[in-house]
Amino acid sequence: MYMFSSTSFVVLFLILWTGTIAIKFNNDDVSLNTSDSVDVLQFLPCLSNVTTDEDIPELKIEFSSEHVEHEYIVIFDNYYSSKSRYNYIEAAIKKCPQVVTWSILKRDNPATHYPSDFDVLKLVNDDDKSWLDLLLDHPAVKRVTPQRKVIRALKTVHETDVTDEDEDLQAIKGKPCLEGCWSQNWRSSRPLKRTSLALSTSGFWHGNNRHSSRRLLRALPRQITGALHADVLWNLGYSGKGVKVAVFDTGLAENHPHFKKVKERTNWTNEKTLNDGLGHGTFVAGVISSNKECLGFAPDADLFIFRVFTNNQVSYTSWFLDAFNYAILKKINVLNLSIGGPDFMDHPFVDKVWELTANNVIMVSAIGNDGPLYGTLNNPADQMDVIGVGGINFEDSIAKFSSRGMTTWELPGGYGRVKPDIVTYGSAVRGSGLKSGCRTLSGTSVASPVVAGAVTLLASAVIEKGNVLNPASMKQALMASARRLPTANIFEQGMGKLDLVRAHQILSNYKPQASLSPSYIDFTECPYMWPYCSQPIYHGGMPSVVNVTILNGMGVSGRIIDKPVWHPYTPQNGNYIEVAISHSSLLWPWSGFLAVSLTVSKDAAGWGGIAQGRITLTVESPPQNGEDAPRQSRLKLPIKVKIVPTPPRSRRILWDQYHNLRYPPGYFPRDNLRMKNDPLDWNGDHIHTNFKDMYVHLRNAGFFVEVLGKPFTCFDAKQYGTLLIADAEEEYFPEEITKLRRDVENGLSVVVLADWYNVSVMKKVKFYDENTRQWWMPDTGGSNIPALNDLLAPLGMAFSDNVYEGMYSIGDHQTHFASGTSIAKFPSDGLIIGRSLKNQGHEVLTGETKTQDDIPILGLHQQNPTSGRVVLYGDSNCVDSSHLQKECFWLLEMLLQYTSFSNLPIDLSDESTISLPPSGQLPERMEGNHLHRYSKVLDSHLGEPKPRPLPACPHLAWAKGEPLNISAPSNLYQHQKLLSVMDAGPMVVKQPNVQQRSGIAVERVDDWELPPGMSHSNQLDNSNAYPLIAFFSTVLVLVFFFVHVHKRKTRPKRRKGPRLKRFTRLQERFYGKFPSV
């Protein structure tokens, strides 16, 4: 028998009253926090599921990736037998004038005896590449790429352990780097290649509202299925039956007690085992399909286990390709891929993912664990045809680890797409243990199987309907039913939080159609529409680009017929908006893009206000299932923007995006050499990705920031006060160099933020591939200093190839100079500011620490009173959020005060200028670099690369508007919901009774109507407000009850007979009559 104090009794009463109260205990204090996703039975009779960070060790993941020496994947244009593939390769290579010894690697796996579309070619010596051209010329050969080896390492560490980042920071504080530590094997907390995306449960407390002053205990739901109300579908008779779901991971034990329908286990590795030696694959499979202890969503689904990682966490691209082909042969319905990496240009892998979804496989993939930095999406979750899943905690806050958008495929010339698609619980989720029992993990690789399990459960409800179920329709249902989180933006949450019950309602009444994501564009809706809502548009500005994803549920292929039409709303000033539209010529597989460019007409140059309109388009797919006519779906994209009068030139900053390069496709190294565990520059260098914090600071300071995605010859310098060049890796056209000099003479100011460059250091930070015993050389340094010096040469300025680091101050401000360069050449009448810094380049090359005084790091100059002002600074890390240690936004704002307003802040004017030493030889390009392979400027020639011809400036085709003389909705989000209610028919769904399962109260499901555009139905998630109302109501009831009892106790005792009788009647009223003895 359990004893309860008075406080425990009150808490218990509140739990039973509201049904959903999360409790946090700290010594004798009790705090209550309402939640809609907590298993109340876990509190009775003890708090058995309250955990602390100390209870759960951190699961740390390390990665490596390397090319395999002399091994190449030959991709064919179709599926052929092994004999035919051999003959094709032999016919091509035998034409080679040199003797080439080659062989086809034997692949011993379940797909061996089936036709395939690739082979792994091994050559004894591949120095002479003439065989490669002959192979590519063969009509049956589609592509030849190097074989890749992927390594994923899982280990358990504790909070007291020193992490890689701690080691980096210790080095910054003065710990010297010993000989050999600058050239290392690839080990990264951010994966170069596809890797598991699991974290520890310590990531649970990674919400935006984290309480940092003390450690709090937290209450977690015992069953993830209860938190998402899977009981509702179970009670309707759906449990995953008839759905084939594949788990690509580390395998599964043969007789694991949690699984009852494991149809097949296959091994695609070089180890002779099917079992899981690590537990990650077991956990993922359990979240999807466990039927005991820690329940999965679809216990009756047919489970196919694909073991694609060894116990040493090694995998190869060819293993995945074979396994993907086998999944197609097995007619898999749902495939979970809890791996990811930034390489969206791994063509064999990406192409195979497209082929999978084209074969009706619904792929669910983790978006990545590289948050809170923006521009960190992982592939394949960033593909349009894949359901990309982000993570939230049980407080419905975006998990700190969850990667953020936008996609970086489209950079530098365009703008990224919206991802993730949806978010769900990915922190402290319970799943199956290695042999039995349950364990708790966090990460987007946990959120991914949550969605995959939900998709499997949903699929079992509609699988008998035939053509209803496909990757597009499932994605449409998930996104249309998702509940929007009120504090997160579109690049954090996508369409919102997974709502399983509402998704079932939509899918049950689904009719094949196309839809848009996002379903509307509203530049006035913050914070959801950030960054679009962060800056109004105006005449003369660079067009704002919104990339909308088209989901086509009518068929795997489709097209937009005719041209999309722009309809400005006449009463809402729609004629002030100019719109240019481009789109995919073919929607395949299941998706495409609609790029919308927005700017302001000349008539509104001095006008401010709200303008609205809409775009209409028609999507068509071929007829199916005996239909006579093609399928068509007519879509509307509402647009709402805020227009302001054109700002003065001094307030307008132009960000140079065109000359930023990133991984992939080339090896562009990190800007901060101390961050050895994140060696690649892969976040896009955009103001809305890793330079987001800088952009927000500039907007708060009153500046308008525009993005230049084309050469310098394509903008009007008279419109802008300052051109901002940061971390540039690209070369420059000669015409750009000439134009910039002329623009500066005519009043354009320029700020250049450089980074390290040193050929000897570049050779030192190369990667050693232990498998191939070869070095991977960078294509440039943190910045392309030789190219920048060519650009600055007409101005009499140049950077050096020295590398420095250290803390320094200007006035009352302090910042960190991280792997920056110094100024080598500058006009004598300019202001040059120097500081004492450590020579990091010397340390890299010799292992010795050396400090030097008066290092010229900042230069300011104006040639004459009518010319623009030029500022050079040797480091961009202090405004780049990738490895931000001590920001210098204050310094950038000072520099912009000087360049834009000719106002030199007192902290800078009080500085005394230093003299430059005699300039020696300026930095030269590294001999044998491969920058020309990835450059938009350089052309590949035998010998020295030369600039390409200057491309013509892109010109947008502005749509001719067809005005609508009707009123536009004031709130597009709410308006779309109202349209769905008016236009759609009612949905008939069986209403289960309120039941308890896994400790979760399942309420009746309200009728909900299907939106015609599917993605218009998102609703704001205010469910947390209802337990709060219930809590306060309970408090009032308790107060009234105790006051009433107190009054009764203080009254004189009289007329006992009648009072006892009234009390008896009161008992009968609440508990019913008792039988008399």
Side-chain angles (χ1 to χ4, degrees):
M1 182 173 181
Y2 294 90
M3 302 299 295
F4 292 88
S5 65
S6 60
T7 303
S8 301
F9 178 80
V10 173
V11 171
L12 175 60
F13 189 91
L14 293 179
I15 294 173
L16 296 176
W17 184 277
T18 63
T20 51
I21 299 290
I23 307 175
K24 301 175 182 178
F25 289 85
N26 182 27
N27 296 332
D28 295 330
D29 298 332
V30 179
S31 61
L32 299 176
N33 179 33
T34 58
S35 171
D36 64 342
S37 57
V38 178
D39 180 354
V40 299
L41 295 184
Q42 65 186 297
F43 298 107
L44 301 175
C46 61
L47 301 177
S48 60
N49 199 38
V50 176
T51 58
T52 66
D53 288 337
E54 290 89 355
D55 297 331
I56 306 168
E58 180 181 357
L59 190 64
K60 187 175 179 59
I61 306 174
E62 292 184 348
F63 313 95
S64 70
S65 177
E66 51 199 39
H67 289 175
V68 181
E69 185 180 21
H70 307 318
E71 291 187 14
Y72 297 86
I73 297 176
V74 181
I75 306 294
F76 296 94
D77 64 349
N78 209 330
Y79 286 80
Y80 300 103
S81 66
S82 57
K83 182 177 181 180
S84 297
R85 299 195 307 270
Y86 181 91
N87 291 338
Y88 291 152
I89 294 176
E90 182 182 43
I93 294 183
K94 72 179 182 181
K95 299 178 182 178
C96 184
Q98 305 294 330
V99 177
V100 179
T101 304
W102 60 278
S103 62
I104 301 296
L105 289 186
K106 182 180 179 181
R107 310 199 303 275
D108 187 13
N109 58 53
T112 301
H113 304 294
Y114 294 95
S116 179
D117 61 343
F118 79 96
D119 263 321
V120 180
L121 176 67
K122 184 175 180 62
L123 293 95
V124 175
N125 190 339
D126 56 356
D127 294 336
D128 182 5
K129 299 296 183 182
S130 58
W131 63 270
L132 178 59
D133 294 331
L134 293 171
L135 198 56
L136 290 173
D137 287 339
H138 194 281
V141 175
K142 181 179 178 181
R143 184 180 290 114
V144 179
T145 62
Q147 165 84 305
R148 289 179 183 265
K149 176 182 179 181
V150 187
I151 300 176
R152 174 185 64 179
L154 306 177
K155 67 177 183 179
T156 300
V157 298
H158 298 278
E159 292 184 357
T160 55
D161 295 344
V162 178
T163 64
D164 296 328
E165 186 173 357
D166 294 332
E167 294 175 353
D168 294 332
L169 295 177
Q170 288 176 5
I172 291 170
K173 295 176 181 177
K175 178 181 176 181
C177 183
L178 301 178
E179 177 67 23
C181 75
W182 300 100
S183 58
Q184 68 279 336
N185 298 330
W186 170 241
R187 288 290 186 272
S188 178
S189 60
R190 289 179 182 166
L192 168 68
K193 284 296 295 177
R194 295 163 217 293
T195 53
S196 169
L197 296 172
L199 292 178
S200 70
T201 51
S202 60
F204 172 84
W205 214 236
H206 281 159
N208 297 329
N209 303 318
R210 176 176 177 176
H211 192 289
S212 58
S213 61
R214 59 180 177 174
R215 186 177 302 279
L216 299 178
L217 302 179
R218 57 187 182 268
L220 308 178
R222 183 173 295 276
Q223 301 292 352
I224 184 62
T225 53
L228 292 171
H229 307 297
D231 304 62
V232 175
L233 271 70
W234 292 343
N235 293 334
L236 292 174
Y238 307 124
S239 56
K241 185 178 180 180
V243 180
K244 298 179 179 180
V245 56
V247 177
F248 278 57
D249 218 285
T250 56
L252 178 68
E254 182 177 4
N255 296 313
H256 197 289
H258 287 184
F259 306 95
K260 60 181 181 180
K261 296 193 70 175
V262 179
K263 288 296 183 179
E264 186 178 22
R265 297 182 305 144
T266 52
N267 176 39
W268 305 87
T269 72
N270 54 14
E271 293 180 340
K272 302 302 181 181
T273 181
L274 294 167
N275 293 330
D276 183 2
L278 296 167
H280 189 270
T282 304
F283 180 92
V284 169
V287 172
I288 296 173
S289 193
S290 170
N291 73 324
K292 292 182 180 179
E293 297 184 89
C294 30
L295 300 179
F297 287 85
D300 290 322
D302 296 334
L303 199 58
F304 290 77
I305 303 299
F306 289 72
R307 190 174 187 267
V308 292
F309 277 98
T310 67
N311 287 334
N312 293 326
Q313 291 292 279
V314 174
S315 187
Y316 290 84
T317 300
S318 59
W319 293 356
F320 275 102
L321 299 183
D322 268 333
F324 284 153
N325 284 341
Y326 192 70
I328 295 174
L329 289 171
K330 287 293 181 177
K331 299 186 183 301
I332 294 296
N333 301 117
V334 181
L335 191 154
N336 181 80
L337 207 59
S338 290
I339 63 170
D343 188 3
F344 53 79
M345 298 187 72
D346 184 4
H347 294 292
F349 191 95
V350 172
D351 289 351
K352 189 58 66 174
V353 170
W354 284 338
E355 185 180 346
L356 274 165
T357 56
N359 280 276
N360 224 32
V361 178
I362 302 171
M363 179 174 285
V364 183
S365 186
I367 206 69
N369 294 333
D370 300 303
L373 189 65
Y374 283 68
T376 54
L377 302 174
N378 281 216
N379 180 266
D382 61 352
Q383 295 183 210
M384 289 185 287
D385 54 322
V386 175
I387 300 173
V389 183
I392 60 175
N393 58 30
F394 285 103
E395 294 180 340
D396 283 355
S397 296
I398 301 296
K400 184 178 179 181
F401 58 74
S402 186
S403 291
R404 273 71 165 169
M406 59 183 165
T407 61
T408 57
W409 294 42
E410 297 79 8
L411 299 179
Y415 195 83
R417 290 170 284 107
V418 173
K419 282 277 183 171
D421 296 311
I422 58 171
V423 293
T424 193
Y425 301 118
S427 294
V429 173
R430 297 175 76 244
S432 299
L434 180 60
K435 299 297 183 182
S436 63
C438 300
R439 62 185 301 198
T440 304
L441 288 179
S442 295
T444 54
S445 76
V446 176
S448 178
V450 170
V451 172
V455 167
T456 305
L457 183 57
L458 290 168
S460 66
V462 297
I463 196 168
E464 301 297 333
K465 295 185 179 181
N467 62 347
V468 169
L469 187 63
N470 61 58
S473 65
M474 181 61 72
K475 191 171 181 179
Q476 287 172 325
L478 294 177
M479 297 170 72
S481 61
R483 292 187 176 271
R484 183 176 298 180
L485 304 178
T487 59
N489 67 54
I490 195 170
F491 287 135
E492 293 176 313
Q493 65 171 308
M495 298 303 107
K497 183 180 80 171
L498 170 68
D499 189 322
L500 180 59
V501 175
R502 292 165 62 87
H504 169 252
Q505 293 174 338
I506 290 179
L507 205 58
S508 298
N509 291 267
Y510 179 81
K511 294 182 179 179
Q513 59 192 276
S515 64
L516 303 175
S517 175
S519 59
Y520 65 94
I521 300 171
D522 189 348
F523 281 27
T524 68
E525 184 185 9
C526 273
Y528 181 69
M529 278 289 176
W530 192 95
Y532 305 115
C533 65
S534 63
Q535 180 169 291
I537 62 176
Y538 42 83
H539 173 68
M542 291 290 172
S544 297
V545 181
V546 182
N547 267 326
V548 178
T549 298
I550 305 172
L551 295 174
N552 180 22
M554 299 183 294
V556 64
S557 64
R559 62 189 180 94
I560 296 177
I561 60 174
D562 301 323
K563 288 184 178 180
V565 180
W566 163 241
H567 297 284
Y569 288 118
T570 302
Q572 278 72 40
N573 310 298
N575 57 303
Y576 289 153
I577 308 175
E578 291 190 345
V579 176
I581 305 168
S582 60
H583 56 82
S584 303
S585 57
L586 176 67
L587 307 179
W588 185 91
W590 309 103
S591 58
F593 72 87
L594 179 74
V596 181
S597 301
L598 302 171
T599 190
V600 178
S601 67
K602 186 176 181 181
D603 296 338
W607 181 81
I610 304 298
Q612 293 184 248
R614 75 183 186 201
I615 295 173
T616 59
L617 64 151
T618 301
V619 175
E620 182 180 272
S621 285
Q624 297 184 19
N625 302 322
E627 298 170 344
D628 296 328
R631 295 180 170 184
Q632 289 190 354
S633 186
R634 184 170 175 82
L635 304 176
K636 298 177 182 178
L637 180 68
I639 296 175
K640 183 178 182 180
V641 298
K642 181 180 180 181
I643 298 175
V644 296
T646 303
R649 177 185 186 184
S650 58
R651 286 285 176 186
R652 296 176 63 180
I653 298 171
L654 188 61
W655 172 267
D656 176 24
Q657 186 69 39
Y658 185 78
H659 296 94
N660 288 327
L661 299 176
R662 48 92 181 96
Y663 173 88
Y667 169 24
F668 298 101
R670 59 193 181 270
D671 300 325
N672 186 342
L673 289 171
R674 289 291 176 191
M675 298 301 169
K676 299 183 294 298
N677 292 312
D678 191 11
L680 295 178
D681 190 352
W682 65 284
N683 305 126
D685 288 342
H686 193 279
I687 59 172
H688 297 154
T689 58
N690 51 307
F691 285 93
K692 167 186 174 285
D693 294 335
M694 179 206 72
Y695 166 76
V696 171
H697 184 90
L698 294 180
R699 286 293 298 130
N700 291 338
F703 291 99
F704 293 81
V705 188
E706 303 172 35
V707 177
L708 178 67
K710 45 195 175 184
F712 289 164
T713 52
C714 299
F715 78 95
D716 182 4
K718 296 178 181 178
Q719 301 290 326
Y720 301 94
T722 302
L723 173 66
L724 182 53
I725 304 173
D727 188 20
E729 296 91 1
E730 181 62 280
E731 295 283 337
Y732 297 89
F733 292 103
E735 294 86 348
E736 291 183 289
I737 298 173
T738 302
K739 181 178 183 294
L740 184 65
R741 176 186 58 80
R742 185 170 62 249
D743 289 341
V744 171
E745 292 175 352
N746 293 331
L748 176 69
S749 295
V750 180
V751 175
V752 181
L753 307 178
D755 277 300
W756 70 273
Y757 181 94
N758 183 283
V759 172
S760 299
V761 171
M762 291 163 63
K763 294 178 179 179
K764 203 73 174 178
V765 300
K766 59 191 175 181
F767 290 149
Y768 182 67
D769 185 335
E770 292 179 338
N771 194 51
T772 65
R773 299 184 180 181
Q774 295 178 349
W775 293 100
W776 189 13
M777 302 296 295
D779 296 306
T780 184
S783 287
N784 190 344
I785 294 299
L788 284 173
N789 286 346
D790 288 346
L791 181 69
L792 298 171
L795 305 175
M797 305 175 184
F799 288 104
S800 75
D801 61 356
N802 297 317
V803 186
Y804 297 99
E805 68 170 347
M807 299 293 295
Y808 75 92
S809 300
I810 293 181
D812 296 331
H813 303 281
Q814 189 180 50
T815 190
H816 183 252
F817 198 80
S819 302
T821 189
S822 61
I823 297 173
K825 189 177 180 182
F826 207 74
S828 57
D829 57 340
L831 172 62
I832 305 175
I833 298 176
R835 287 294 184 269
S836 296
L837 298 171
K838 184 165 61 175
N839 191 326
Q840 190 178 24
H842 180 77
E843 179 186 341
V844 171
L845 298 176
T846 67
E848 301 175 355
T849 302
K850 178 181 178 181
T851 301
Q852 296 178 230
D853 297 329
D854 292 334
I855 303 301
I857 59 173
L858 178 61
L860 302 91
H861 180 256
Q862 183 177 20
Q863 185 175 2
N864 57 65
T866 61
S867 67
R869 291 158 286 279
V870 180
V871 174
L872 303 187
Y873 184 62
D875 181 33
S876 72
N877 281 284
C878 58
V879 295
D880 183 347
S881 300
S882 295
H883 301 120
L884 190 62
Q885 296 146 26
K886 189 72 175 178
E887 54 88 5
C888 66
F889 301 138
W890 54 269
L891 176 59
L892 179 59
E893 190 172 348
M894 285 184 183
L895 301 181
L896 291 173
Q897 286 292 327
Y898 171 69
T899 59
S900 297
F901 306 105
S902 190
N903 175 28
L904 187 63
I906 190 170
D907 286 342
L908 296 179
S909 61
D910 287 346
E911 293 283 343
S912 57
T913 188
I914 65 172
S915 299
L916 292 178
S919 59
Q921 184 176 5
L922 295 177
E924 296 182 350
R925 293 167 177 84
M926 184 171 65
E927 184 177 354
N929 75 81
H930 300 134
L931 184 62
H932 62 275
R933 295 180 180 176
Y934 325 113
S935 172
K936 302 179 293 295
V937 177
L938 297 179
D939 199 0
S940 178
H941 290 284
L942 294 177
E944 189 73 17
K946 301 295 182 182
R948 305 172 189 263
L950 179 70
C953 295
H955 293 286
L956 296 173
W958 301 105
K960 183 178 181 181
E962 297 182 7
L964 296 176
N965 192 22
I966 58 175
S967 295
S970 59
N971 187 311
L972 301 185
Y973 179 50
Q974 295 296 330
H975 174 70
Q976 298 292 60
K977 290 201 303 178
L978 292 175
L979 282 178
S980 69
V981 172
M982 290 185 296
D983 296 342
M987 297 189 65
V988 180
V989 180
K990 286 177 62 179
Q991 303 294 339
N993 295 326
V994 179
Q995 298 189 23
Q996 287 280 349
R997 181 163 181 149
S998 305
I1000 300 297
V1002 181
E1003 300 178 358
R1004 291 177 61 88
V1005 183
D1006 296 329
D1007 288 340
W1008 195 79
E1009 305 189 55
L1010 177 65
M1014 291 301 298
S1015 53
H1016 301 338
S1017 63
N1018 301 24
Q1019 294 198 3
L1020 198 64
D1021 187 5
N1022 292 321
S1023 55
N1024 286 341
Y1026 300 114
L1028 190 62
I1029 295 172
F1031 169 73
F1032 285 115
S1033 301
T1034 303
V1035 172
L1036 291 176
V1037 171
L1038 287 174
V1039 171
F1040 175 81
F1041 176 76
F1042 285 118
V1043 170
H1044 190 64
V1045 171
H1046 178 72
K1047 286 182 177 181
R1048 286 184 175 182
K1049 288 182 178 181
T1050 57
R1051 291 178 182 175
K1053 296 182 179 180
R1054 52 179 178 166
R1055 293 193 301 175
K1056 290 186 176 180
R1059 288 177 62 84
L1060 181 59
K1061 193 172 183 179
R1062 285 209 306 267
F1063 180 74
T1064 302
R1065 287 198 298 267
L1066 187 63
Q1067 280 186 317
E1068 292 176 356
R1069 180 181 177 185
F1070 283 95
Y1071 301 102
K1073 292 184 178 182
F1074 292 89
S1076 58
V1077 179

